[in-house]
Amino acid sequence: MKGLIWFRNDLRMDDNPALRNACIECEEVQAIYIFSSRQNNLHNEANCKIEFLIENLKILDQDLSKINIPLTIIDSTGFKDNKDIILNLIKDRSINKVFWNNQFGNDEQNRDDNVTRSLKKNDIEFSSYHEKVIFSPGSIRTAEDKPYSVFTPFKKKWIENFNLDLLDIEFNYLSKKKTLIESNIFDFKFKYKQNHSVDMSMWPPGEAHAKDRLKLYLSNKILRYSQDRNDPIVDGTSRISPYLANGIISPKRCILEALKINNFELDTGEKGITKWIDEIIWREFYKNIMFCFPKVSQNKPFQDYTNNIEWRYEESELDAWKNGNTGFPIIDSAMKQLKSEGWMHNRLRMVVAMFFTKNMLHDWRLGEEFFMQNLIDGDFSSNNGGWQWSSSTGTDAAPYFRIFNPLTQSKNFDTEGLFIKKHLKKLKDVDKKEIHDPLMETRSNCNYPYQILDLKESRLRAIEAFNKAKN
Ligand SMILES: Cc1cc2nc3c(=O)[nH]c(=O)nc-3n(C[C@H](O)[C@H](O)[C@H](O)COP(=O)(O)OP(=O)(O)OC[C@H]3O[C@@H](n4cnc5c(N)ncnc54)[C@H](O)[C@@H]3O)c2cc1C
């Protein structure tokens, strides 16, 4: 039997159920990846993320070739033509069965529904699998058989239902029958032009590298995760997100390796480890929200009343935020980190998102879009969840009247101002007493802007806008 594995957001061999099953069921296996720069633009994929994707495809190609699976990259105009691409390929190459791993999200599900319909119509076998989450999406439910919309009870149920068999992922790939098809990755002209300023040496591609990163984190830092995770200058988090978001490593692999060093205890044992696993469950929670409440991937807020909020729109403020010129050092240094690393520390993502949606009172969708356009770990459900949490429009969101004060956040989490100084070179010599809120004279000497808004006034303005929308 001849099988086709359709790679999408799962560019790895480890814990890849579609690839594994194709290899078990078929003596000959071929692989494809459908690349569309138009679709990438429609989904606001960051330029650095596309580069990362291309480099990962090259490594996947090498890994697959070791077991005689050729990878063909196919150019496409977007999700709409995928059905015809797959069907033509099946006919041209006499494929018997197609395998893929599911993606969530409205557009992805529509694409897959179209492909599925056309395969059924043409009597072609196919199988699809879940590898983005531990439990099938939507299967963790309340006693009333409803999806959860609050994290803590979701997590409790998740832990109750968990058993180690869910992590049975080890698989030894054997060589497949040689095929006449040749991989085309080095001849394929990716429609991609680099325009980012991210230091890509921070994110070496390939699943071997992702596993090494995980291993190093688990052996060195995870035990201090609870203490270090909120301090942006300490590299206290795993930075595994670009690999998870692009499917270079699986959440099951992450949890399995963490459990191995915690006596296989999920919610007891080392605090750092259990806290870190919690975060992987947060990721799964947001994927479930996206699956169970399609409105969140249709540009709508989770809390309907927030549709009534009268967001402001001030181009100059928007530009100042995007370019790190707000006059609030913690905000500006975080935005510089985003530009230079394609990544931002979680605490700062919350701080800049809350500043944007509350103090600036700008529509969360604009911030969400800008993050997607710049993050190498851009992941629709986590990004949407994070933005809707920060703007109090989402599920389990921060109450709208609890607004982070960026100066207090700065003093609490970057006490010595070392993060600010690292990313905001203009302020590198400023005394730590002033670093969170430089004096007028210092600002002028350093050519650093004045604050674009008044914190107290803008806080009250936000609360008023939310009150008005609610009543
Ligand atoms: C406004 C906003 C936007 C965000 N956008 C994204 C995004 O596009 N992509 C993304 O992967 N994460 C996003 N997050 C979540 C979080 O900031 C990142 O996952 C985290 O900073 C990644 O760093 P890490 O791998 O070192 O995380 P670690 O702390 O080491 O955590 C391990 C993994 O758990 C998951 N995780 C951690 N925190 C969260 C969280 N709050 N929500 C969901 N999953 C989490 C991630 O997959 C992460 O890689 C966003 C958060 C906010 C507040």
Side-chain angles (χ1 to χ4, degrees), residues 225 237-241 244 276 279-280 282-283 286 343-346 349-350 353 371 375 377-379 382-383 386-387 390:
Y225 184 67
T237 68
S238 64
R239 287 183 180 248
I240 202 81
S241 52
L244 273 168
W276 191 74
E279 298 305 322
I280 310 270
W282 261 109
R283 175 184 171 277
Y286 283 140
W343 185 90
M344 191 192 288
H345 188 278
N346 180 58
R349 292 188 206 210
M350 294 191 282
F371 260 37
L375 282 170
D377 69 6
D379 171 276
S382 297
N383 192 40
W387 272 93
S390 309

Side-chain angles (χ1 to χ4, degrees), residues 218-271:
L218 296 179
S219 59
N220 281 336
K221 294 186 175 167
I222 196 167
L223 298 185
R224 288 193 51 82
Y225 184 67
S226 300
Q227 295 100 299
D228 291 347
R229 62 190 287 268
N230 275 312
D231 188 338
I233 194 68
V234 179
D235 222 7
T237 68
S238 64
R239 287 183 180 248
I240 202 81
S241 52
Y243 299 89
L244 273 168
N246 289 280
I248 318 300
I249 197 164
S250 80
K252 287 189 181 175
R253 173 60 66 197
C254 291
I255 294 181
L256 179 62
E257 297 307 314
L259 286 181
K260 282 183 189 167
I261 54 164
N262 198 36
N263 286 326
F264 290 95
E265 292 171 44
L266 191 61
D267 54 346
T268 48
E270 284 292 343
K271 213 170 148 211

